[in-house]
Amino acid sequence: MRFLLESNQNIRYSGTGVISPNTFTVGGVSLQCGDVTLPGASGVVGYGGLFTNTGNINRYFTGSVTFIPATACSGQPTAGTISGPPFVCNGGTATLNVNGSTTGTGLTREWYSSSVSGGPYSTFVGSGTSVNTGVVTANTYYVCVVTCTASPLPNSDQTPEFFLPVTNAGPGGTFTIDNSLPTAGLNFNNFTDAIATSMGSPSADRSRGPIPSTSRPDIPSRRTLPC
């Protein structure tokens, strides 16, 4: 298993050259870092900074990793809930995650979708704690079914459905909002017309709220529409 530490703050690291040992083994877990090279791979495992900065190599992990063996599942698991984006652009994809489900070995997590609320959820999407929806072109409802394979029935649980609405693309590039001109091309006469177009149609889901602006309605302004 390889892991990556990311931060939106500065991460401090120090040290140069080769440090020995570069592998630490405790309780059945071996932590390899620094100048270790994995079989069949090029380059060392220890990097610091941007991936494109190949000069920050032979960096070593400072900290600890605790290994807790997973226990086998039993009985009926808890499926948890699905989290994901509030919408997806028409023709785009999204990543969905299942949270709060039972953990342990012997569990499967399978994702299904339906074009109608309440199912039937007959379209198989994928497996795992997260899934990519693939290309989405219409409003879609998703569920994740968690199953403990070693338990007798009932041995599965299903999450509440997750609704992923599709937003049609607005005009590309920049546009103006100018109430001295009609709504046509890349100009909108008012913010109501601009919002309706960005949502795909006046009746589309408007949960994303208005397009922010600090300008007066009578002064042309430039904005980029979602999608």
Side-chain angles (χ1 to χ4, degrees):
M1 177 185 72
R2 303 189 71 177
F3 63 89
L4 168 70
L5 301 179
E6 288 185 300
S7 173
N8 58 5
Q9 304 293 324
N10 291 329
I11 296 179
R12 183 176 182 272
Y13 56 86
S14 59
T16 58
V18 175
I19 298 176
S20 181
N22 58 14
T23 301
F24 306 88
T25 302
V26 177
V29 176
S30 293
L31 177 62
Q32 297 176 316
C33 56
D35 60 340
V36 171
T37 300
L38 298 178
S42 60
V44 301
V45 299
Y47 278 82
L50 298 176
F51 288 123
T52 53
N53 188 351
T54 55
N56 287 342
I57 60 175
N58 289 6
R59 302 304 179 186
Y60 292 79
F61 177 74
T62 301
S64 63
V65 174
T66 302
F67 174 65
I68 303 176
T71 57
C73 65
S74 63
Q76 185 176 18
T78 298
T81 57
I82 296 173
S83 63
F87 67 92
V88 64
C89 294
N90 195 337
T93 67
T95 297
L96 306 180
N97 301 284
V98 62
N99 309 294
S101 62
T102 300
T103 59
T105 60
L107 287 167
T108 61
R109 294 174 177 83
E110 298 184 322
W111 297 75
Y112 298 89
S113 68
S114 171
S115 58
V116 237
S117 178
Y121 308 100
S122 54
T123 302
F124 179 72
V125 181
S127 302
T129 55
S130 65
V131 72
N132 185 278
T133 59
V135 173
V136 183
T137 57
N139 294 345
T140 308
Y141 301 83
Y142 296 87
V143 295
C144 180
V145 178
V146 180
T147 303
C148 179
T149 56
S151 295
L153 298 177
N155 64 346
S156 64
D157 187 31
Q158 178 177 292
T159 64
E161 70 178 16
F162 179 86
F163 175 49
L164 185 63
V166 166
T167 297
N168 292 319
T174 58
F175 67 94
T176 57
I177 298 176
D178 186 346
N179 66 357
S180 67
L181 298 173
T183 296
L186 292 180
N187 181 76
F188 297 96
N189 178 262
N190 52 67
F191 280 97
T192 301
D193 288 355
I195 294 169
T197 301
S198 72
M199 297 303 173
S201 68
S203 61
D205 184 344
R206 300 190 180 189
S207 61
R208 290 149 61 187
I211 298 174
S213 175
T214 56
S215 62
R216 291 165 45 196
D218 58 332
I219 300 177
S221 59
R222 292 188 176 273
R223 295 289 183 270
T224 300
L225 286 173
C227 293

